[in-house]
Amino acid sequence: GTTSFHAGSDDDTHYISNEVWEQLGRDISNNTHLTGLHLTEGALNDRKISFFFRGLTRSSTIKYMHLYENEFSVAGVQSMVLFVQNASNLTMLNLDANTFESEGFNALMRALRDSPIESLSCDRCGIESIDIDSEHIPKNLMQLQLCGNNISTDGCREIAKVLQGEDAT
């Protein structure tokens, strides 16, 4: 059977109703074989992602999720919080080229704290400041990509502190 779902702007996702986005999320939540999810290149925006994650609240099979080059902001990140907290096998999340900025990144890091996430990519997301502490860094995170952001000096210090461990000063 199919183990990966792909949709992008070329797939006419702008014609999908709110109810269908929510139902798709529910169907994926209940799927026992899907390991990968690709909704990219304009498939999602804040409205679509909020309905999608209203239905998709958990998964025990999804290992990787690509949501890059969409048009969602911090509101989109906030709508996915419950899912990322309840996705028991999610090890890779690619959110490159969205517009959630610093507030969305900080909220995402807090939400991923107890998750199995190992790789997080947030290239070109408008991140300038980072405000996280060692208690809110994902425990299993091994790879963090933040290319193409204009991260401040204080933000870089926050990342360095987190990378050095809890007791660093």
Side-chain angles (χ1 to χ4, degrees):
T2 300
T3 60
S4 187
F5 177 82
H6 297 257
S9 60
D10 295 339
D11 297 317
D12 291 327
T13 57
H14 53 281
Y15 295 116
I16 299 175
S17 71
N18 297 341
E19 294 76 22
V20 171
W21 277 112
E22 188 171 346
Q23 184 61 50
L24 177 61
R26 274 195 300 276
D27 292 344
I28 292 171
S29 275
N30 294 322
N31 185 289
T32 59
H33 296 85
L34 194 68
T35 59
L37 185 61
H38 299 253
L39 292 168
T40 61
E41 301 170 347
L44 296 171
N45 57 28
D46 284 334
R47 180 189 56 80
K48 294 173 191 176
I49 200 169
S50 69
F51 282 95
F52 179 67
F53 281 106
R54 190 176 295 168
L56 181 58
T57 58
R58 61 180 163 68
S59 172
S60 60
T61 59
I62 295 177
K63 294 179 181 177
Y64 59 91
M65 183 178 280
H66 296 273
L67 302 177
Y68 60 82
E69 293 180 18
N70 285 294
E71 301 166 5
F72 62 85
S73 68
V74 63
V77 169
Q78 290 166 338
S79 69
M80 71 172 68
V81 165
L82 185 59
F83 169 76
V84 297
Q85 290 174 333
N86 294 319
S88 57
N89 283 309
L90 183 66
T91 58
M92 197 280 283
L93 182 58
N94 182 334
L95 301 176
D96 292 349
N98 285 292
T99 59
F100 52 80
E101 302 178 334
S102 303
E103 184 181 354
F105 176 75
N106 293 328
L108 180 64
M109 291 297 278
R110 286 189 295 276
L112 290 170
R113 178 178 180 256
D114 294 318
S115 80
I117 199 82
E118 295 174 359
S119 175
L120 175 62
S121 187
C122 296
D123 294 347
R124 302 175 318 280
C125 291
I127 302 166
E128 295 180 355
S129 64
I130 295 175
D131 184 21
I132 50 175
D133 58 48
S134 58
E135 294 177 16
H136 292 106
I137 190 79
K139 296 173 182 167
N140 298 301
L141 189 65
M142 292 186 280
Q143 180 179 347
L144 176 61
Q145 293 179 201
L146 296 169
C147 299
N149 291 295
N150 190 19
I151 299 172
S152 68
T153 303
D154 287 341
C156 292
R157 285 188 191 110
E158 286 293 311
I159 292 172
K161 202 169 19 172
V162 167
L163 293 173
Q164 292 172 7
E166 294 180 36
D167 300 325
T169 55

